Amino acid sequence: MQDRLTDRGLWRTRALVGGEWIGADGGTTIAVEDPATGDTIGEVPDCGAAETERAIAAAEQALPAWRARPAPERCAILRRWNDLILAATEDLARILTAEQGKPLAEAQAEIEYAASFVAWFADEGQRSHGQEVPAPTADRRIMVRKEPVGVCAAITPWNFPAAMITRKLAPALAAGCTIVLKPAQQTPFTALALGELAIRAGVPAGVLGIVTGDAAAVGGAMTASPVVRLLSFTGSTGVGAKLMEQSAPTIKKLALELGGNAPLLVFDDADLDNAVEAAVAAKFRNAGQSCVAVNRILVQAGIHDAFVDRLAARVRALRVGPGVEDGVEIGPLIDDKARAKVADMVADAQDKGATLVAQAPAAGRFTAPMLLTGMTPEMRAAQEEIFGPVAAIYRFETEADGLALANATPYGLAAYYCTTDLHRAWRVGEALEAGMVGLNTGAISLAMAPFGGIKQSGLGREGGAEGLEEYLETKALHWTGLG
Ligand code: NAP
């Protein structure tokens, strides 16, 4: 892999602890595979609790100097990090595609998207203003200060190996926190390359730690540590709930970006071309392996058949293959388990009456993009994240029926709808139970907007001004007796 990079120094294969690149104490490693071929592309240290505790100790030691640096200085380092990431886009995208599988063009777009969080927080980090509050007596002054939370921990998933990391690291560092990251076992190399660039940008030793290894051991050490004041986790709702429980004894601040079950409502008055494009964007990005992927496409009866025909044509034309091949739009799913899960969900839907209307050519390690109609709420794919390239269509009659179907889930991350009626746009936008709602668009993730969910999709927000706020504590200073 290293030979394919212009900057071979980006191929880091060790963990980052206290500014040093280290192996696991026991010398053991974890192999990382290319999901398109099953070939091992490299190995990373199989660290556990001891290495994590050392990274936390280094972060604690580095905290006083880092938080004392003026915000513009910290943000200048972030600005350099952003520039270095953008300059290394091609190499980073090659690493990302090799370990995650998504098409190179999508990997490049993810690197740019990842950098956009660094750029955003390099600016936003200089605006953590406090305020003075009018006091009830003449001899008192009340000041409200924003202070860094302290030592933080982050755990990230494999589906967006760069963006899920910068979305946490950039606001943490901008706020004056230090942070220890555990990337997903299947995609550690993008994380380590980002760490290398952070060091080159001037992030001091210990301020950022990256520990690869056993999830339960590393996560256990992070949650057990009283030094860690905040845990930011992106991943499944089940693991999020477990980490919340583990964090309870030390009362950590929690930021949880969890699973979703996003609906896309297509109303009779939608612009058909626009609705099909929104569905393709929100369904097939990253082969459907996204927390904000459209899991249920709810189509009103009057536009149903025309929409299905148009989307079916798009699905049949999707090009599936290894992410490194030119023109490929859908890469492999992350592993055998993911492929089996999608196949089971499709079989379950067909057993319960769904029709497979269209399918793109695909074989071997690649799951074919599919279009299913006749979906109903008792099917598994209605209740769980498909996390694959399967567009599942439900038919509804009235706006009220559509809304009831859309909200009939314990999740509340993203929701989308297509209409050209302004009155409906307001009504539905307000009624959808989700942290993010897209009207006539399948793209809702931008660095300047708050990203996150309600219900069982999580706590807190990433991006926007809210994303910085997660890493800040509020202190009220009461002054009296000075005059
Ligand atoms: P996952 O199994 O929950 O894993 C996510 C991360 O948690 C990985 O780093 C994983 O480590 C780690 N982990 C697993 N078990 C752990 C434990 N017991 N203690 C500590 N850490 C543990 O989720 P996934 O399958 O990788 O990712 C897909 C899920 O993430 C989906 O549900 C998706 O919706 C959600 N997601 C949400 C957002 C959002 O912003 N809301 C964004 C992207 C993805 P290993 O890799 O080492 O197992």
Side-chain angles (χ1 to χ4, degrees):
M1 182 68 220
Q2 200 173 19
D3 300 340
R4 283 187 266 153
L5 302 179
T6 309
D7 179 351
R8 294 161 59 99
L10 292 179
W11 187 246
R12 284 286 176 188
T13 58
R14 313 193 99 202
L16 179 63
V17 174
E20 304 286 328
W21 295 100
I22 64 149
D25 288 355
T28 47
T29 56
I30 301 170
V32 178
E33 286 180 7
D34 177 344
T37 60
D39 297 341
T40 297
I41 57 166
E43 293 179 2
V44 291
D46 186 11
C47 298
E51 299 87 336
T52 310
E53 282 159 10
R54 289 207 297 280
I56 293 169
E60 186 181 24
Q61 209 184 350
L63 180 66
W66 182 246
R67 64 180 286 162
R69 277 174 96 152
E73 271 186 32
R74 288 196 300 263
C75 291
I77 293 175
L78 285 182
R79 178 63 64 187
R80 280 201 292 279
W81 192 27
N82 167 68
D83 294 346
L84 291 173
I85 293 171
L86 287 177
T89 299
E90 285 199 12
D91 277 345
L92 291 171
R94 269 185 214 119
I95 294 172
L96 202 161
T97 292
E99 63 184 3
Q100 202 278 338
K102 67 179 69 177
L104 260 180
E106 268 194 50
Q108 281 174 4
E110 183 183 338
I111 298 301
E112 284 160 21
Y113 172 54
S116 74
F117 286 100
V118 183
W120 171 260
F121 287 111
D123 290 340
E124 200 60 18
Q126 302 179 58
R127 299 186 197 118
S128 52
H129 309 295
Q131 58 175 330
E132 190 185 343
V133 178
T137 55
D139 68 339
R140 181 179 291 257
R141 297 291 178 272
I142 305 170
M143 271 82 66
V144 179
R145 273 172 60 80
K146 295 289 179 180
E147 298 185 351
V149 166
V151 175
C152 302
I155 301 179
T156 52
W158 50 264
N159 59 348
F160 289 87
M164 297 304 101
I165 288 176
T166 54
R167 209 154 82 160
K168 300 184 190 306
L169 266 42
L173 299 181
C177 298
T178 56
I179 188 160
V180 178
L181 163 74
K182 190 208 89 67
Q185 207 173 109
Q186 283 154 317
T187 57
F189 290 117
T190 307
L192 296 171
L194 288 171
E196 165 68 20
L197 293 175
I199 292 172
R200 291 186 197 173
V203 172
V207 168
L208 168 63
I210 305 178
V211 183
T212 55
D214 180 72
V218 175
M222 286 172 161
T223 48
S225 169
V227 171
V228 174
R229 295 310 322 137
L230 175 149
L231 172 70
S232 179
F233 169 75
T234 298
S236 58
T237 296
V239 173
K242 192 171 171 183
L243 293 170
M244 196 172 184
E245 209 176 310
Q246 286 174 211
S247 299
T250 49
I251 316 285
K252 291 189 204 318
K253 246 188 134 179
L254 290 169
L256 303 175
E257 298 288 342
L258 307 177
N261 184 355
L264 162 63
L265 283 158
V266 180
F267 290 101
D268 283 347
D269 56 35
D271 176 301
L272 187 57
D273 290 339
N274 172 265
V276 171
E277 288 320 305
V280 170
K283 177 70 245 180
F284 293 105
R285 185 184 306 118
N286 201 13
Q289 303 170 109
S290 161
C291 55
V292 292
V294 167
N295 211 49
R296 296 167 295 145
I297 305 179
L298 316 174
V299 189
Q300 202 164 10
I303 198 171
H304 179 275
D305 294 354
F307 179 85
V308 168
D309 283 353
R310 200 74 75 87
L311 188 58
R314 289 296 306 270
V315 169
R316 286 187 199 102
L318 285 170
R319 243 195 91 198
V320 184
V324 289
E325 272 181 21
D326 278 349
V328 162
E329 296 162 288
I330 305 285
L333 295 186
I334 190 72
D335 56 21
D336 292 345
K337 212 172 126 201
R339 277 195 294 280
K341 186 181 158 202
V342 172
D344 283 354
M345 280 194 181
V346 172
D348 171 78
Q350 287 179 299
D351 284 351
K352 292 175 180 154
T355 307
L356 179 61
V357 170
Q359 191 168 343
R365 304 184 70 84
F366 300 91
T367 296
M370 285 174 247
L371 177 61
L372 293 170
T373 58
M375 297 294 296
T376 52
E378 60 283 356
M379 296 170 181
R380 262 186 77 193
Q383 295 154 18
E384 297 171 39
E385 287 179 298
I386 301 172
F387 244 58
V390 180
I393 306 230
Y394 304 68
R395 189 188 186 108
F396 69 90
E397 297 293 333
T398 66
E399 182 182 305
D401 293 345
L403 266 172
L405 262 178
N407 287 336
T409 163
Y411 298 100
L413 190 58
Y416 309 85
Y417 63 122
C418 293
T419 179
T420 51
D421 176 336
L422 189 58
H423 301 283
R424 176 171 272 159
W426 272 112
R427 273 197 312 273
V428 174
E430 290 180 4
L432 282 168
E433 296 169 3
M436 295 162 287
V437 177
L439 167 64
N440 297 328
T441 177
I444 46 149
S445 313
L446 292 166
M448 60 288 288
F451 185 106
I454 61 171
K455 295 158 86 176
Q456 291 181 30
S457 289
L459 299 173
R461 294 292 180 270
E462 294 189 323
E466 291 83 352
L468 183 71
E469 194 65 33
E470 295 289 334
Y471 293 88
L472 295 167
E473 290 284 12
T474 300
K475 180 186 278 177
L477 282 170
H478 294 253
W479 285 17
T480 66
L482 295 179

mmCIF file of all heavy atoms in Angstrom, residues 215-232:
data_model
loop_
_atom_site.group_PDB
_atom_site.id
_atom_site.type_symbol
_atom_site.label_atom_id
_atom_site.label_comp_id
_atom_site.label_asym_id
_atom_site.label_seq_id
_atom_site.Cartn_x
_atom_site.Cartn_y
_atom_site.Cartn_z
ATOM 1 N N ALA A 215 -11.781 -3.345 21.038
ATOM 2 C CA ALA A 215 -12.797 -2.328 21.339
ATOM 3 C C ALA A 215 -13.208 -2.349 22.810
ATOM 4 O O ALA A 215 -13.270 -1.298 23.459
ATOM 5 C CB ALA A 215 -14.018 -2.539 20.447
ATOM 6 N N ALA A 216 -13.487 -3.536 23.332
ATOM 7 C CA ALA A 216 -13.994 -3.605 24.709
ATOM 8 C C ALA A 216 -12.918 -3.158 25.699
ATOM 9 O O ALA A 216 -13.202 -2.446 26.673
ATOM 10 C CB ALA A 216 -14.458 -5.020 25.019
ATOM 11 N N ALA A 217 -11.654 -3.547 25.459
ATOM 12 C CA ALA A 217 -10.575 -3.185 26.384
ATOM 13 C C ALA A 217 -10.272 -1.689 26.320
ATOM 14 O O ALA A 217 -10.177 -1.013 27.357
ATOM 15 C CB ALA A 217 -9.314 -3.996 26.061
ATOM 16 N N VAL A 218 -10.153 -1.162 25.107
ATOM 17 C CA VAL A 218 -9.843 0.269 24.956
ATOM 18 C C VAL A 218 -11.022 1.105 25.460
ATOM 19 O O VAL A 218 -10.857 2.043 26.250
ATOM 20 C CB VAL A 218 -9.515 0.615 23.479
ATOM 21 C CG1 VAL A 218 -9.308 2.112 23.299
ATOM 22 C CG2 VAL A 218 -8.289 -0.161 23.007
ATOM 23 N N GLY A 219 -12.231 0.731 25.027
ATOM 24 C CA GLY A 219 -13.431 1.466 25.454
ATOM 25 C C GLY A 219 -13.633 1.342 26.963
ATOM 26 O O GLY A 219 -14.041 2.314 27.620
ATOM 27 N N GLY A 220 -13.313 0.188 27.502
ATOM 28 C CA GLY A 220 -13.447 -0.017 28.954
ATOM 29 C C GLY A 220 -12.514 0.897 29.729
ATOM 30 O O GLY A 220 -12.908 1.502 30.742
ATOM 31 N N ALA A 221 -11.274 1.026 29.247
ATOM 32 C CA ALA A 221 -10.311 1.904 29.934
ATOM 33 C C ALA A 221 -10.742 3.363 29.815
ATOM 34 O O ALA A 221 -10.609 4.151 30.758
ATOM 35 C CB ALA A 221 -8.913 1.710 29.343
ATOM 36 N N MET A 222 -11.284 3.716 28.655
ATOM 37 C CA MET A 222 -11.736 5.107 28.464
ATOM 38 C C MET A 222 -12.896 5.433 29.408
ATOM 39 O O MET A 222 -12.914 6.478 30.054
ATOM 40 C CB MET A 222 -12.213 5.321 27.012
ATOM 41 C CG MET A 222 -11.089 5.385 26.002
ATOM 42 S SD MET A 222 -11.791 5.391 24.331
ATOM 43 C CE MET A 222 -10.391 6.031 23.400
ATOM 44 N N THR A 223 -13.871 4.540 29.460
ATOM 45 C CA THR A 223 -15.062 4.845 30.263
ATOM 46 C C THR A 223 -14.761 4.757 31.758
ATOM 47 O O THR A 223 -15.345 5.495 32.550
ATOM 48 C CB THR A 223 -16.247 3.916 29.894
ATOM 49 O OG1 THR A 223 -15.784 2.569 29.864
ATOM 50 C CG2 THR A 223 -16.835 4.281 28.551
ATOM 51 N N ALA A 224 -13.851 3.857 32.152
ATOM 52 C CA ALA A 224 -13.548 3.699 33.578
ATOM 53 C C ALA A 224 -12.729 4.863 34.124
ATOM 54 O O ALA A 224 -12.758 5.153 35.325
ATOM 55 C CB ALA A 224 -12.791 2.385 33.808
ATOM 56 N N SER A 225 -11.992 5.540 33.258
ATOM 57 C CA SER A 225 -11.056 6.563 33.742
ATOM 58 C C SER A 225 -11.777 7.809 34.281
ATOM 59 O O SER A 225 -12.538 8.457 33.559
ATOM 60 C CB SER A 225 -10.124 6.984 32.606
ATOM 61 O OG SER A 225 -9.409 8.126 33.003
ATOM 62 N N PRO A 226 -11.488 8.188 35.534
ATOM 63 C CA PRO A 226 -12.077 9.434 36.044
ATOM 64 C C PRO A 226 -11.447 10.669 35.403
ATOM 65 O O PRO A 226 -12.011 11.761 35.465
ATOM 66 C CB PRO A 226 -11.760 9.387 37.553
ATOM 67 C CG PRO A 226 -10.643 8.416 37.699
ATOM 68 C CD PRO A 226 -10.666 7.485 36.522
ATOM 69 N N VAL A 227 -10.292 10.485 34.761
ATOM 70 C CA VAL A 227 -9.623 11.616 34.092
ATOM 71 C C VAL A 227 -10.393 12.032 32.842
ATOM 72 O O VAL A 227 -10.472 13.209 32.516
ATOM 73 C CB VAL A 227 -8.175 11.202 33.717
ATOM 74 C CG1 VAL A 227 -7.516 12.259 32.837
ATOM 75 C CG2 VAL A 227 -7.353 10.950 34.967
ATOM 76 N N VAL A 228 -10.971 11.054 32.147
ATOM 77 C CA VAL A 228 -11.721 11.350 30.915
ATOM 78 C C VAL A 228 -13.049 11.984 31.307
ATOM 79 O O VAL A 228 -13.867 11.379 31.986
ATOM 80 C CB VAL A 228 -11.955 10.057 30.100
ATOM 81 C CG1 VAL A 228 -12.863 10.326 28.907
ATOM 82 C CG2 VAL A 228 -10.621 9.473 29.644
ATOM 83 N N ARG A 229 -13.258 13.231 30.879
ATOM 84 C CA ARG A 229 -14.455 13.971 31.286
ATOM 85 C C ARG A 229 -15.567 13.926 30.245
ATOM 86 O O ARG A 229 -16.703 14.299 30.514
ATOM 87 C CB ARG A 229 -14.106 15.444 31.594
ATOM 88 C CG ARG A 229 -13.177 15.686 32.770
ATOM 89 C CD ARG A 229 -13.579 14.959 34.064
ATOM 90 N NE ARG A 229 -15.001 14.907 34.291
ATOM 91 C CZ ARG A 229 -15.677 13.831 34.723
ATOM 92 N NH1 ARG A 229 -15.072 12.704 34.971
ATOM 93 N NH2 ARG A 229 -16.971 13.884 34.879
ATOM 94 N N LEU A 230 -15.218 13.496 29.025
ATOM 95 C CA LEU A 230 -16.234 13.443 27.959
ATOM 96 C C LEU A 230 -15.929 12.264 27.049
ATOM 97 O O LEU A 230 -14.765 12.015 26.721
ATOM 98 C CB LEU A 230 -16.212 14.743 27.158
ATOM 99 C CG LEU A 230 -17.118 14.846 25.915
ATOM 100 C CD1 LEU A 230 -17.570 16.285 25.702
ATOM 101 C CD2 LEU A 230 -16.463 14.341 24.633
ATOM 102 N N LEU A 231 -16.974 11.547 26.664
ATOM 103 C CA LEU A 231 -16.821 10.493 25.659
ATOM 104 C C LEU A 231 -17.704 10.845 24.473
ATOM 105 O O LEU A 231 -18.910 11.065 24.626
ATOM 106 C CB LEU A 231 -17.249 9.134 26.222
ATOM 107 C CG LEU A 231 -17.294 8.017 25.176
ATOM 108 C CD1 LEU A 231 -15.896 7.628 24.705
ATOM 109 C CD2 LEU A 231 -18.025 6.790 25.715
ATOM 110 N N SER A 232 -17.090 10.917 23.303
ATOM 111 C CA SER A 232 -17.853 11.146 22.085
ATOM 112 C C SER A 232 -17.800 9.870 21.266
ATOM 113 O O SER A 232 -16.726 9.395 20.899
ATOM 114 C CB SER A 232 -17.246 12.317 21.307
ATOM 115 O OG SER A 232 -17.995 12.505 20.124
#
